[in-house]
Amino acid sequence: MLDFITPFLVNSAVQAITPILLAALAGTLCGRVGVFNMALEGQMLVGAFAAVVGSYATGSALGGIVAAMLATVAFSLILAYGVTVFRGDAVVICVGMNLLASGLTAYLLRQMFGVSGTFSDPAIVGLEKIRIAAINGWPVIGWIFSRQTALTWVAWILVAVVTVVMFRTPLGLRLRGVGEDPEAAETMGVDVTRYRIVTVLVAGAIVGLAGAQLSLGTVSIFSEDMSAGRGWIAVVAVMLGRNHPLYAALACVLFGFADAFSVRLQGQGLPNQVTDVVPYVVTLVALVLTHTKRRRRQDPTITASP
Amino acid sequence: MSDIARPARRLPRIPPVPLAILVGVVLGGLLVLVSGGNPVEAYAAIVTGALAFDNLPNTLNWAVPLVGMTLVAATPLRGGMINLGGDGQMVIGGLVAALVPLYLPGPGPLLIIVAILAAMLASGLYATIAAWGETRHGIPMLISSLLLSYPAIGICSYIVGFPLRDTTTGLAQTPMIPEAARLPVLSGPLNAGLLVMMVVAILVVLYDRFTVGGYELRMRGLNARFAGYGGVPLARQMTGVMFASGAIAGLVGALIVLGSQFRFQDGALLSPGYTWSGLMAALLAGGEPLGAILAGAFFAALQTGGFAMQRETSIPRVLTMVLQSIIILFLAIRHGVGRRRETR
């Protein structure tokens, strides 16, 4: 049953989880301050594009990462100010942002590099895989921890950091207060608007890392709409995890293994149209299972916010 | 609720939608300018490409699926619900509509009607799964409708890629449907699909304005809990609305297959991105059907013009997508489009 767990698959699953995990982490941050971030898909795409541009221009992967973070933070200004200062509807803004990201990256790809579809160039420097000699040969541990990019490490460290900050520090208490009861937080002297703006922007920087991992992690290319639904999976992970970073990370791992399993099924001769569906079906099943247990008492009327 | 009247402090009184379009045009023009193009030329190419007399049929032809997908999004949105699964529902409809004339015997016109009805039924039923998930299990339809899209697309792609593939070509597509079962041509690129879509659009507007169901749906959009206390059966209403929405998506798929492509080709229904453009048009009008239809037609003109612009000025036509998203973002941020919906 578990014989699909091979060194290569575990290694690639951990790699594949990274961008989704980073995006989901950003989603939980936004969710905690009461901003339903559905724009992860678009933010990730902007990050992926900027990472390639930065890496191409500076000749270093670090330049790509910095460019990705800057670009995604700038892009996130729309959400940060749109839902706070301008009191716009988060769902509409996020749908608009996703389309803007898709259109803008495709437009710039053509105008800056003169190609459509996919841009690859030897000048794009990818992220280095960190090889840890001591554990490289160990089963499981070595497969998971060795030969991963720095961003994979950053992602898992961030899970711990965000969890601790959110639940063990005064800052985290205020963050959660802003999401749970903005009026009460305001009364306690917390500047709700500022907290929301800053959190959304910090989350934007984290999604920028997700984009960089996507375009510079395993491959060093950018192709149109290369986020390919990963941002939406992250949104689902946030929902499954109920805005808790650890549970969201768990959902990401589940998804990553479903993904690895589907690759394995493909190796057994099943067509990829069928196996590509596996992660989404697993996600749907997970949604059904988690929601059946704690069925809502209220009427099924609220559509958006979890 | 804090969104009662806001003080009017804007100086020039330009109505929101033209202002948003103006902002989109200016920002898009800047983008063209920065990337070394001539914005005036680009916009002139868009306008003539979309609205010159010879090009109008193309615009109308593009508007049929786009306005259709606008209705798909607008119908649930009227009641404050969002259906993000239009892609999957449209693909199911397209495939069913291609298979009926291919594998059922019968006279052409009858086959057309059966194909369209079967497509609408299949897509409508598929869409109700998401509604059922929310009413029975509390899974937000916003996300389940989107997630359900992926399996639908994958399975349809598998069906035309393997068991029912046209083996005479190298592509993943069904064989051509018989000529008798194709939609009659009106003139040039226009086919009877235009008339069907016009009828559906009128029906949706009439339902919204003059029926009890339409009133109840609008009431739900204003305040779902109040509508529930007022005796609207919320669960049944959600299921019904999603069935209608999915059925229209199935109709769009069927009209494309029976009217212009004459076969189901893997990916061909999705690449133009009708679903998301339609959703944006519906959001722009806040789900009000007539406004949404106009917005959908506007986006169709913009996109058709985009093809002409790309041909004549070598500025990529994705620029029109940027314009659309700037317009919707501006309206959402500056004028609170969609703010009426309960979000907290």
Side-chain angles (χ1 to χ4, degrees):
Chain A
M1 167 65 205
L2 291 175
D3 63 341
F4 70 92
I5 302 180
T6 65
F8 177 74
L9 273 173
V10 172
N11 191 271
S12 62
V14 174
Q15 270 177 42
I17 289 167
T18 304
I20 299 165
L21 176 64
L22 284 163
L25 210 52
T28 57
L29 276 172
C30 294
R32 281 288 168 180
V33 293
V35 177
F36 183 50
N37 187 350
M38 262 177 36
L40 295 172
E41 177 86 0
Q43 290 173 310
M44 206 193 281
L45 195 61
V46 167
F49 181 74
V52 161
V53 173
S55 172
Y56 180 77
T58 63
S60 86
L62 188 66
I65 293 176
V66 172
M69 289 173 78
L70 289 178
T72 318
V73 169
F75 186 60
S76 307
L77 286 170
I78 303 175
L79 180 64
Y81 281 88
V83 295
T84 54
V85 177
F86 296 102
R87 301 210 324 281
D89 182 85
V91 173
V92 181
I93 290 175
C94 289
V95 168
M97 282 173 73
N98 285 333
L99 266 114
L100 181 62
S102 172
L104 201 58
T105 51
Y107 181 81
L108 292 175
L109 184 68
R110 277 155 228 234
Q111 296 296 65
M112 287 170 72
F113 302 112
V115 293
S116 61
T118 300
F119 174 60
S120 63
D121 193 288
I124 304 171
V125 184
L127 293 167
E128 220 173 296
K129 304 262 163 68
I130 301 172
R131 212 162 165 274
I132 305 170
I135 59 164
N136 201 31
W138 295 13
V140 188
I141 307 278
W143 308 338
I144 294 175
F145 292 104
S146 193
R147 266 164 284 139
Q148 299 294 352
T149 63
L151 286 184
T152 299
W153 286 91
V154 169
W156 288 99
I157 292 167
L158 273 177
V159 171
V161 171
V162 169
T163 309
V164 170
V165 168
M166 205 178 266
F167 298 105
R168 290 282 178 272
T169 65
L171 174 71
L173 183 67
R174 273 178 242 137
L175 277 182
R176 285 181 286 138
V178 166
E180 267 164 38
D181 196 336
E183 275 88 15
E186 196 82 62
T187 321
M188 299 296 288
V190 177
D191 187 342
V192 171
T193 304
R194 220 186 77 207
Y195 265 81
R196 283 192 171 148
I197 290 175
V198 173
T199 307
V200 171
L201 295 182
V202 169
I206 297 177
V207 194
L209 295 178
Q213 167 74 16
L214 199 60
S215 60
L216 301 178
T218 31
V219 291
S220 296
I221 58 164
F222 176 82
S223 51
E224 282 174 38
D225 290 320
M226 78 183 299
S227 42
R230 289 183 183 82
W232 291 108
I233 292 292
V235 171
V236 178
V238 173
M239 284 173 61
L240 281 173
R242 299 240 144 174
N243 290 329
H244 193 299
L246 284 183
Y247 295 131
L250 203 66
C252 291
V253 171
L254 172 77
F255 177 80
F257 272 90
D259 203 32
F261 183 60
S262 78
V263 173
R264 173 72 184 172
L265 286 178
Q266 220 168 305
Q268 301 207 328
L270 276 170
N272 69 310
Q273 289 95 331
V274 173
T275 56
D276 283 353
V277 162
V278 171
Y280 296 100
V281 173
V282 169
T283 315
L284 276 165
V285 170
L287 268 177
V288 172
L289 290 180
T290 51
H291 277 79
T292 311
K293 272 189 193 159
R294 38 163 198 243
R295 222 171 111 181
R296 288 186 191 180
R297 272 161 295 145
Q298 64 204 105
D299 288 333
T301 51
I302 295 114
T303 39
S305 34
Chain B
M1 294 295 108
S2 48
D3 46 353
I4 318 164
R6 305 167 69 210
R9 57 191 155 75
R10 269 162 267 126
L11 291 174
R13 298 240 163 208
I14 309 174
V17 172
L19 184 63
I21 294 172
L22 188 70
V23 168
V25 165
V26 169
L27 289 179
L30 283 176
L31 186 65
V32 171
L33 207 59
V34 168
S35 55
N38 181 344
V40 179
E41 248 173 51
Y43 288 131
I46 290 183
V47 173
T48 50
L51 301 177
F53 187 73
D54 289 345
N55 301 330
L56 268 180
N58 283 325
T59 305
L60 275 177
N61 205 31
W62 192 265
V64 169
L66 210 163
V67 167
M69 294 315 284
T70 303
L71 293 172
V72 169
T75 311
L77 195 64
R78 193 60 158 156
M81 298 166 274
I82 296 185
N83 173 11
L84 291 181
D87 272 347
Q89 294 148 18
M90 177 169 53
V91 166
I92 291 177
L95 182 63
V96 169
L99 295 183
V100 167
L102 279 174
Y103 294 97
L104 283 186
L110 185 69
L111 278 182
I112 294 178
I113 293 169
V114 173
I116 288 179
L117 291 179
M120 292 177 75
L121 184 69
S123 300
L125 288 177
Y126 195 71
T128 55
I129 298 176
W132 175 78
E134 175 150 339
T135 56
R136 291 301 300 272
H137 297 289
I139 302 167
M141 199 172 71
L142 182 74
I143 208 73
S144 62
S145 61
L146 179 81
L147 283 178
L148 281 166
S149 230
Y150 293 96
I153 295 167
I155 288 163
C156 290
S157 170
Y158 168 75
I159 290 174
V160 295
F162 294 93
L164 301 180
R165 181 194 190 119
D166 176 11
T167 45
T168 58
T169 66
L171 297 169
Q173 54 189 14
T174 63
M176 298 283 268
I177 57 175
E179 231 152 282
R182 297 176 188 179
L183 287 175
V185 174
L186 298 179
S187 81
L190 295 177
N191 59 58
L194 176 68
L195 302 179
V196 176
M197 195 48 77
M198 281 167 85
V199 170
V200 170
I202 292 168
L203 284 178
V204 171
V205 173
L206 292 180
Y207 180 82
D208 180 68
R209 297 236 166 129
F210 299 114
T211 66
V212 175
Y215 170 73
E216 287 178 346
L217 189 60
R218 273 182 285 145
M219 202 156 78
R220 178 188 190 135
L222 291 171
N223 189 333
R225 204 157 291 169
F226 176 75
Y229 283 127
V232 177
L234 292 176
R236 207 195 310 154
Q237 186 188 40
M238 178 177 262
T239 312
V241 166
M242 277 306 276
F243 180 82
S245 174
I248 299 173
L251 174 70
V252 171
L255 292 183
I256 298 175
V257 165
L258 298 173
S260 46
Q261 295 184 344
F262 309 128
R263 60 173 15 140
F264 179 87
Q265 194 180 5
D266 188 23
L269 291 177
L270 301 181
S271 50
Y274 295 126
T275 304
W276 293 96
S277 291
L279 177 64
M280 294 226 287
L283 287 172
L284 208 151
E288 196 277 307
L290 196 59
I293 292 166
L294 289 177
F298 170 69
F299 282 172
L302 199 60
Q303 291 175 7
T304 319
F307 283 103
M309 177 186 71
Q310 179 161 315
R311 256 195 327 270
E312 284 166 26
T313 67
S314 79
I315 293 166
R317 69 181 184 87
V318 281
L319 178 70
T320 59
M321 201 160 143
V322 176
L323 288 180
Q324 286 173 47
S325 39
I326 292 175
I327 292 170
I328 191 80
L329 281 173
F330 180 83
L331 283 173
I333 288 171
R334 200 75 192 85
H335 296 279
V337 158
R339 193 186 290 149
R340 218 178 27 178
R341 292 190 314 104
E342 293 284 318
T343 45
R344 267 202 284 174

